[in-house]
């Protein structure tokens, strides 16, 4: 064990030149005008559902979403029947049968999105050595996550889809500039609210919005409560200040 | 309160255990200098922050699972499925930062007004021990979510002990409970993270005991002359502190509800992976100046010693500062060096957040050198050479100088 960690530990130790730690060059994500920005921000349910559509149509083939239960999708405006119908398209492990053999069954509302691979080894073997990360928390696990996801997916050079000899793709927003994932979005994959084909930019936004929701599903509760709490505190603090002035008036 | 003592049974109880009288004595009648400014609010705010951390922490402990396989997922479960779990957890994680903000401001207030000087040296020491306990608690708490920064932060910091000659490695393995940061480490950090806050509560009692024994310092930094210098803590400072709490909570709420991850690091939303080192390992913001000092010395043991001394020398501060005047208000030279020290600490904090490469290396070394020069060389010298401005005769006098004001002690104010 110790031997395995030693190089990392040494690299971390400040005694060594720390330049080895510096991450590769990476472009700053472009800022988008998200519906949840600002004090009154909320998610756009239609956008989240479009994102879900693209996610289940494409991303799910390689990426997990393990912190999301199918029941959670009711929060973004799916009816219980719709969420149930979506769940049934996935097979999950069931109880052992009477002979003790493993079984599978269609997923139900209380199940989470199943991982696309049986284990990390399979994921690695099928993806040229790179393990596709679980996306549940991606929007919070990268600096400026929502913009990062949208910028990465819509990068123009990336979407030309010319791999290097190693099978990697140029992407200015990915740390190091080379990403193993082939450009996943193409015209015709997703549709806009009016039914027209969505552009890659539009799909990138919808996916980023959906993944922001999966990372922070309580955002609307939080912002809604914050407004009430702060208004209350402003009044309370005002009263406390006036009381303080009055009590101290003769000191 | 006093009227309660007229009730027979209350008097009977208080006679056997004077809870009520003590509360009356220490939280209401306590004679506080009449001239305390808003810089004196941070002590009570630190107390509030401690209570917030303990209450939210106990609730989190009811839902958290201290196991390497489950810790990260249990935190996400709190964020998603526990009723108001997101609120409790964000209060706790942001509360840690705000605890440090108010404690640092409390310390800087003490440094400016000379609150560490005689007769309050022991009060100052206890405060420093509280700060060290807070650092330990915060460090171990940050490990609990078992994200990438949790794991690698724990690995880097525990490895510092390996710098100790001969017994370094055995000590590190003893701390880990194994040969790397793993489940035993997480379990003991959890146990200690739950324990230390109550040690802090005990230390806070001692801190207040020492404070009430020698009484509060004040913005003029002069000794009290008589009852005319004081006002009772209640209602004057209870209401002033309550107003401070209101302001504190507004700022806290702004972060909590609108930027709850601003002071955190995105990497900690990636589950810990012992095989994958993050590009930059940075501690939480409140450790950055010390982290910069650690990295400034191009030798592991030297860096650890320098970091230890950066707080260690503060225990000697009452003697390193040779000036007999407490408050910087009357110290024209010290005032500027105080400002320089603040800037220096700001630089150290920024350097700590940057990768140790290029210009940051010498800037960090210069700032580290200045930190020690400030406390070990400049402070003693300033005390000797500085000519302080004349001190006022009493606390009551400058306060009442504007004219006769009706109120406590005004009658005593003659010579």
């Amino acid at each position: 064990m110790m031997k395995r960690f030693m190089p990392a530990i040494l690299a971390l130790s400040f005694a060594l030149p720390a330049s080895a730690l510096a991450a590769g060059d990476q472009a700053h994500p472009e800022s988008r005008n998200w519906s949840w920005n600002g004090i009154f921000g909320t998610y756009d349910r239609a956008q989240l559902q479009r994102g879900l559509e693209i996610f289940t149509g494409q991303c799910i083939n390689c990426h997990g979403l393990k912190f999301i239960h199918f029941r959670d999708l009711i929060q973004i405006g799916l009816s219980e029947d719709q969420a149930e119908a979506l769940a049934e398209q996935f097979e999950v492990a069931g109880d052992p049968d009477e002979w003790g053999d493993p079984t599978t069954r269609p997923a139900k509302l209380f199940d989470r999105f199943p991982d696309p691979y049986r284990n990390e080894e399979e994921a690695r073997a099928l993806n040229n050595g790179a393990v596709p990360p679980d996306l549940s928390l991606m929007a919070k696990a990268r600096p400026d996550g929502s913009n990062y996801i949208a910028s990465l997916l819509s990068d123009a050079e990336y979407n030309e889809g010319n791999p290097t000899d190693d099978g990697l793709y140029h992407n200015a927003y990915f740390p190091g500039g080379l990403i193993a994932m082939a450009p996943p979005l193409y015209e015709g994959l997703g549709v806009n609210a009016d039914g027209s084909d969505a552009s890659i930019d539009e799909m990138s936004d919808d996916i980023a919005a959906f993944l922001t929701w999966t990372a922070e599903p309580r955002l609307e509760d939080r912002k809604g409560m914050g407004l009430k709490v702060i208004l209350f505190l402003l009044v309370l603090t005002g009263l406390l200040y006036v009381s303080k002035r009055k009590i101290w008036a003769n000191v | 309160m006093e009227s309660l003592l007229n009730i027979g049974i209350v008097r009977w109880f208080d006679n056997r255990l004077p809870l009520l009288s003590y509360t009356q004595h220490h939280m209401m009648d306590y004679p506080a200098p009449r001239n305390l400014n808003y810089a004196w609010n941070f002590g009570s705010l630190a107390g509030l922050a401690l209570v917030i951390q303990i209450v939210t922490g106990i609730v989190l402990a009811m839902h958290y699972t201290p196991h390497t396989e489950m810790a990260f997922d249990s935190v996400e479960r709190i964020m998603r499925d526990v009723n108001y779990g997101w609120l409790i957890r964000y209060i706790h994680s942001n509360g840690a930062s705000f605890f440090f903000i108010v404690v640092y401001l409390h310390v800087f207030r003490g440094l400016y007004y000379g609150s560490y000087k005689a007769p309050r040296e022991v009060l100052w020491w206890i405060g420093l021990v509280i700060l060290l306990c807070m650092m330990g608690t915060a460090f171990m708490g940050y490990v609990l979510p078992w994200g990438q920064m949790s794991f690698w932060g724990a690995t880097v910091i525990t490895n510092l002990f390996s710098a100790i000659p001969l017994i370094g490695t055995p000590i590190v393995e003893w701390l880990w409970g194994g040969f790397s940061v793993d489940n035993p480490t997480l379990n003991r950090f959890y146990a200690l993270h739950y324990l230390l806050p109550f040690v802090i509560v005990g230390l806070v009692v001692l801190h207040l005991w020492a404070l009430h024994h020698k009484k509060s310092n004040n913005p003029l930094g002069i000794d009290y002359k008589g009852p005319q210098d004081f006002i009772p803590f209640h209602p004057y400072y209870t209401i002033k502190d309550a107003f401070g709490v209101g302001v504190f909570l507004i700022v806290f709420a702004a972060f909590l509800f609108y930027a709850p991850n601003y002071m955190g690091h995105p990497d900690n939303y990636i589950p810990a992976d012992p095989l994958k080192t993050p590009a930059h390992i940075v501690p939480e913001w409140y450790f950055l100046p010390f982290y910069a000092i650690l990295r400034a010395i191009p030798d592991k043991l030297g860096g650890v010693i320098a970091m230890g001394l950066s707080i260690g020398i503060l225990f000697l501060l009452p003697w390193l500062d040779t000036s007999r005047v407490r408050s910087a208000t009357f110290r024209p030279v010290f005032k500027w060096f105080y400002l320089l020290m603040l800037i220096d600490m700001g630089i150290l904090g920024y350097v700590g957040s940057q990768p140790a490469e290029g210009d940051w290396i010498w800037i960090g070394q210069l700032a580290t050198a200045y930190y020690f020069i400030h406390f070990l060389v400049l402070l003693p010298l300033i005390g000797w050479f500085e000519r302080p401005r004349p001190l006022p005769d009493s606390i009551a006098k400058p306060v009442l100088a504007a004219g006769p004001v009706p109120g406590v002690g005004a009658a005593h104010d003659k010579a």
Side-chain angles (χ1 to χ4, degrees):
Chain A
M1 276 306 251
M2 194 64 195
K3 272 200 181 119
R4 221 161 70 191
F5 294 137
M6 242 10 242
I9 291 163
L10 285 176
L12 292 172
S13 105
F14 40 90
L16 283 181
S19 55
L21 301 180
D25 287 331
Q26 185 183 2
H28 269 284
E30 289 166 42
S31 287
R32 315 261 166 144
N33 190 22
W34 302 112
S35 67
W36 59 86
N37 284 351
I39 294 175
F40 302 100
T42 54
Y43 288 121
D44 172 355
R45 294 287 181 284
Q47 185 179 38
L48 298 187
Q49 291 181 28
R50 292 198 301 274
L52 169 69
E53 197 96 337
I54 300 165
F55 185 86
T56 51
Q58 177 70 307
C59 318
I60 191 88
N61 294 320
C62 304
H63 292 280
L65 198 65
K66 68 173 183 174
F67 291 118
I68 298 299
H69 301 81
F70 290 100
R71 61 169 158 80
D72 294 329
L73 297 174
I74 295 169
Q75 288 174 34
I76 66 169
L78 267 65
S79 70
E80 204 171 313
D81 289 341
Q82 284 172 318
E84 218 158 3
L86 179 65
E88 277 169 11
Q89 295 173 22
F90 295 88
E91 285 283 305
V92 296
D95 292 331
D97 66 12
E98 53 191 314
W99 302 106
D101 292 323
T103 63
T104 60
R105 58 168 174 80
K108 292 186 181 298
L109 283 180
F110 53 74
D111 286 309
R112 297 155 176 255
F113 271 87
D115 209 69
Y117 304 104
R118 284 174 298 168
N119 46 52
E120 203 180 304
E121 283 67 23
E122 188 188 30
R124 199 181 300 281
L126 292 176
N127 289 285
N128 197 15
V131 182
D134 187 277
L135 294 182
S136 317
L137 280 164
M138 190 52 72
K140 285 199 315 201
R142 297 290 180 276
D144 198 9
S146 309
N147 289 321
Y148 165 79
I149 295 169
S151 300
L152 183 142
L153 288 175
S154 61
D155 183 59
E157 190 195 357
Y158 175 53
N159 278 294
E160 285 169 16
N162 301 319
T164 64
D165 293 343
D166 301 325
L168 300 173
Y169 297 84
H170 288 285
N171 193 312
Y173 299 98
F174 192 73
L178 288 169
I179 188 169
M181 173 173 71
L185 302 177
Y186 53 88
E187 305 267 342
L189 175 62
V191 289
N192 285 322
D194 59 7
S196 62
D197 276 358
S199 68
I200 285 185
D201 268 11
E202 288 163 335
M203 286 186 279
S204 305
D205 282 7
D206 293 347
I207 272 289
F210 175 68
L211 292 179
T212 304
W213 171 77
T214 63
E216 188 77 357
R218 304 285 170 214
L219 176 141
E220 292 174 341
D221 297 347
R222 169 157 66 73
K223 292 197 171 182
M225 184 189 285
L227 200 64
K228 290 178 218 156
V229 169
I230 289 178
L231 285 176
F232 169 82
L233 284 173
L234 285 171
V235 173
L236 175 73
T237 307
L239 289 174
L240 288 170
Y241 181 67
V242 176
S243 311
K244 190 258 164 192
R245 287 289 298 263
K246 187 159 164 62
I247 288 171
W248 278 75
N250 60 356
V251 173
Chain B
M1 282 292 237
E2 266 165 348
S3 59
L4 277 176
L5 284 174
N6 295 332
I7 305 169
I9 185 149
V10 176
R11 196 167 52 242
W12 179 89
F13 185 89
D14 197 71
N15 192 254
R16 279 145 186 85
L17 179 67
L19 270 182
L20 208 64
S21 309
Y22 270 50
T23 311
Q24 172 85 32
H25 184 68
H26 283 288
M27 297 181 76
M28 300 175 77
D29 297 341
Y30 170 65
R34 56 192 305 148
N35 60 338
L36 300 186
N37 59 30
Y38 278 108
W40 264 260
N41 276 54
F42 296 110
S44 67
L45 289 178
L48 173 73
L50 177 61
V51 171
I52 291 174
Q53 289 307 89
I54 288 178
V55 172
T56 53
I58 288 171
V59 178
L60 286 174
M62 295 173 188
H63 299 281
Y64 168 79
T65 311
H67 188 282
T68 52
E69 299 286 320
M70 287 176 272
F72 189 90
D73 289 14
S74 74
V75 171
E76 275 310 308
R77 189 178 155 71
I78 290 169
M79 293 296 287
R80 290 156 194 270
D81 294 333
V82 172
N83 291 335
Y84 295 102
W86 59 269
L87 179 63
I88 307 277
R89 193 236 170 178
Y90 275 154
I91 291 176
H92 198 72
S93 60
N94 285 278
S97 280
F98 275 83
F99 196 0
F100 274 97
I101 291 173
V102 292
V103 162
Y104 282 151
L105 290 172
H106 187 63
V107 173
F108 287 134
R109 189 270 293 156
L111 289 176
Y112 187 80
Y113 292 109
S115 301
Y116 46 85
K117 291 184 192 180
R120 298 184 185 84
E121 300 94 324
V122 174
L123 175 62
W124 171 251
W125 286 346
I126 297 168
L128 288 174
V129 176
I130 291 175
L131 179 61
L132 290 172
C133 283
M134 277 177 64
M135 289 175 156
T137 310
F139 163 66
M140 287 187 279
Y142 195 61
V143 175
L144 302 185
W146 210 242
Q148 273 289 67
M149 279 299 161
S150 300
F151 179 87
W152 290 100
T155 302
V156 171
I157 300 301
T158 48
N159 258 297
L160 295 179
F161 291 92
S162 71
I164 303 168
L166 297 174
I167 51 166
T169 306
I171 284 184
V172 173
E173 286 169 1
W174 177 73
L175 287 173
W176 284 341
F179 300 101
S180 68
V181 174
D182 208 336
N183 203 48
T185 327
L186 177 60
N187 280 200
R188 63 192 54 190
F189 277 20
Y190 180 51
L192 294 173
H193 183 71
Y194 208 125
L195 168 71
L196 276 177
F198 297 97
V199 173
I200 295 177
V201 170
L203 288 165
V204 166
V205 171
L206 292 181
H207 197 62
L208 288 174
W209 188 0
L211 174 76
H212 284 215
H213 183 58
K214 282 297 167 191
K215 303 285 179 288
S216 309
N217 184 27
N218 66 85
L220 297 174
I222 54 175
D223 290 327
Y224 40 88
K225 299 284 193 312
Q228 70 277 14
D229 290 341
F230 294 117
I231 46 176
F233 191 82
H234 181 74
Y236 296 103
Y237 287 108
T238 40
I239 187 66
K240 197 170 180 178
D241 279 350
F243 169 61
V245 165
V247 175
F248 168 78
L249 288 180
I250 290 171
V251 182
F252 185 32
F255 274 87
L256 172 63
F257 292 109
Y258 297 108
N261 293 304
Y262 180 76
M263 288 182 279
H265 197 290
D267 275 22
N268 228 27
Y269 281 109
I270 304 172
D273 184 350
L275 300 179
K276 206 169 165 189
T277 316
H280 298 289
I281 296 177
V282 275
E284 292 282 79
W285 68 266
Y286 37 79
F287 291 135
L288 289 175
F290 305 103
Y291 194 53
I293 291 174
L294 171 78
R295 295 191 304 181
I297 314 292
D299 169 74
K300 193 166 176 179
L301 182 59
V304 175
I305 291 172
M307 185 171 69
L309 282 179
S310 66
I311 292 195
I313 55 168
L314 295 180
F315 282 88
L316 300 177
L317 191 57
W319 299 276
L320 288 171
D321 184 348
T322 49
S323 173
R324 296 179 64 184
V325 175
R326 291 195 193 100
S327 173
T329 314
F330 304 103
R331 301 188 58 189
V333 180
F334 170 83
K335 213 185 240 178
W336 290 105
F337 282 95
Y338 175 85
L339 188 66
L340 275 179
M341 179 204 57
L342 284 191
I343 295 169
D344 186 59
M345 286 181 182
I347 293 172
L348 280 173
Y350 190 78
V351 170
S353 74
Q354 297 301 308
E357 59 190 22
D359 289 338
W360 295 121
I361 294 177
W362 67 262
I363 296 174
Q365 289 171 339
L366 213 63
T368 300
Y370 185 80
Y371 179 91
F372 286 102
I373 289 170
H374 173 85
F375 286 107
L376 296 176
V377 181
L378 295 176
L379 269 190
L381 290 180
I382 295 166
W384 280 320
F385 293 110
E386 181 183 54
R387 282 195 54 175
R389 288 170 41 213
L391 296 176
D393 292 334
S394 78
I395 292 172
K397 198 156 188 188
V399 172
L400 298 172
V405 187
V408 200
H412 298 273
D413 181 50
K414 28 192 195 309

